[in-house]
Amino acid sequence: MEVAVRELLIEKGVLTADQVRRQVEDMDSRTPARGAAVVARAWSDPVFHRLLMADGNAAVETMGLERGPYKLVVVENTPDVHNVIVCTLCSCYPRWLLGLPPDWYKSRNYRSRMVREPRAVLREFGLELPQDTTVRVHDSTADMRYLVLPMRPVGTDEWQEQQLGALVGRDAMVGVAVCASR
Amino acid sequence: MGGQPAGPVARTEHDYALWEKRVDALLVLLSRKDNRQMTVDELRRNIEALGPGVYDSLSYYERWMHSITATLLQHGVLTVDELGRKMADVEHRVARGEL
């Protein structure tokens, strides 16, 4: 059906084969490395950190990254608060910073349970949080996207931005994992 | 869906196939402001219209493709007739090993 619809749309001049090809290439170029670079910059540069928290889209644009088609809200983990993101309606995800979402993010079970029993779901991801940590679950909407700013691992004070970026995994930016220095 | 009881989260993921990326690309291109044929809200409405049985029998991007096609038919961008002919043509090409 994909082939049929695509060919018909091209034949009718609604879109071109070239547009489809370029769109797929752009998609392939978006990976979690982009989000990791943003997190590493936020850990390293207090001015950037402030801007990122106030206006996520403007902040990522200062790094030469796509501004993104939706409002970007960055939620920061602290020793007291752990943030995690979900899209209960469908699969909204900060794709311009993380690429396409993994299957589990789009699954019925993740979307159903994350808003109701986040600690149990996080445990399934191997993340056991202290009882006194507040867990905040952020449900994405059609017009905005969340990104979790994980906590900087201890013992990385002297690390350069690039080294730091290598510590930041996709799952930590969704909030189902944390960053560790090794 | 949010808040309803459900089973454990299977932590599966896969590398997206080209056809899946193309379905994604179609939606992005068709919902662009400068050439809007449909909206993401229509995509979701027509996915929800699949009903629970069909919804669960299809993969993620299969659902998208059903919804995109349904929306384009509703808007008259495509007709049932031309889609039927094109699908028959695609099937012939697949049978002949051309696709």
Side-chain angles (χ1 to χ4, degrees):
Chain A
M1 180 129 60
E2 184 274 324
V3 179
V5 170
R6 173 164 46 88
E7 287 187 359
L8 277 176
L9 289 171
I10 291 168
E11 284 163 22
K12 294 180 149 228
V14 177
L15 35 88
T16 68
D18 204 44
Q19 282 180 312
V20 177
R21 185 185 52 74
R22 263 182 290 142
Q23 193 62 41
V24 170
E25 282 171 6
D26 287 350
M27 205 179 299
D28 283 334
S29 73
R30 301 183 188 109
T31 74
R34 290 196 184 176
V38 170
V39 169
R41 176 71 55 90
W43 285 345
S44 310
D45 179 345
V47 175
F48 179 81
H49 178 264
R50 265 199 301 281
L51 178 59
L52 185 66
M53 299 309 296
D55 183 344
N57 305 82
V60 300
E61 206 171 25
T62 66
M63 293 181 66
L65 295 172
E66 290 173 80
R67 216 187 132 74
Y70 308 103
K71 181 177 167 62
L72 176 67
V73 176
V74 177
V75 288
E76 184 173 19
N77 287 349
T78 68
D80 301 320
V81 178
H82 181 87
N83 296 283
V84 58
I85 63 177
V86 63
C87 176
T88 55
L89 274 178
C90 42
S91 54
C92 299
Y93 188 75
R95 292 161 50 141
W96 69 101
L97 296 174
L98 299 183
L100 294 174
D103 293 331
W104 53 259
Y105 184 83
K106 305 183 293 191
S107 71
R108 177 185 287 273
N109 292 358
Y110 182 84
R111 290 158 55 200
S112 301
R113 290 175 52 226
M114 185 50 93
V115 288
R116 191 188 187 98
E117 41 176 2
R119 279 176 194 277
V121 176
L122 292 175
R123 213 171 291 127
E124 287 165 28
F125 279 86
L127 183 60
E128 185 78 49
L129 294 168
Q131 272 310 312
D132 55 355
T133 300
T134 302
V135 180
R136 283 198 191 129
V137 180
H138 303 271
D139 193 358
S140 312
T141 74
D143 306 311
M144 49 105 58
R145 299 291 185 270
Y146 292 104
L147 183 79
V148 175
L149 177 57
M151 273 197 288
R152 182 173 178 159
V154 289
T156 58
D157 291 356
E158 306 299 322
W159 290 36
Q160 298 301 307
E161 208 174 302
Q162 211 165 356
Q163 287 174 287
L164 289 169
L167 301 180
V168 186
R170 177 198 69 197
D171 290 2
M173 294 181 275
V174 176
V176 296
V178 294
C179 296
S181 58
R182 64 191 160 78
Chain B
M1 184 169 291
Q4 286 175 4
V9 179
R11 289 170 61 188
T12 52
E13 42 193 299
H14 75 290
D15 289 329
Y16 289 100
L18 181 58
W19 76 267
E20 294 177 296
K21 291 178 187 175
R22 281 183 174 154
V23 172
D24 200 287
L26 285 182
L27 191 267
V28 173
L29 292 169
L30 294 170
S31 59
R32 270 194 188 161
K33 278 199 194 84
D34 57 359
N35 184 25
R36 180 162 285 162
Q37 308 296 332
M38 63 181 290
T39 66
V40 175
D41 301 301
E42 288 173 313
L43 176 78
R44 191 157 57 219
R45 188 191 66 204
N46 277 317
I47 288 174
E48 285 165 5
L50 288 171
V54 180
Y55 183 100
D56 287 318
S57 74
L58 298 176
S59 76
Y60 182 78
Y61 279 115
E62 285 171 344
R63 294 197 284 263
W64 275 42
M65 202 56 233
H66 274 264
S67 174
I68 289 170
T69 307
T71 311
L72 293 174
L73 291 171
Q74 285 159 7
H75 289 195
V77 179
L78 304 178
T79 66
V80 174
D81 190 43
E82 59 192 4
L83 181 64
R85 268 183 282 128
K86 178 58 101 174
M87 295 208 15
D89 170 52
V90 169
E91 271 168 41
H92 280 301
R93 280 148 64 202
V94 170
R96 288 200 302 266
E98 291 169 15
L99 273 177

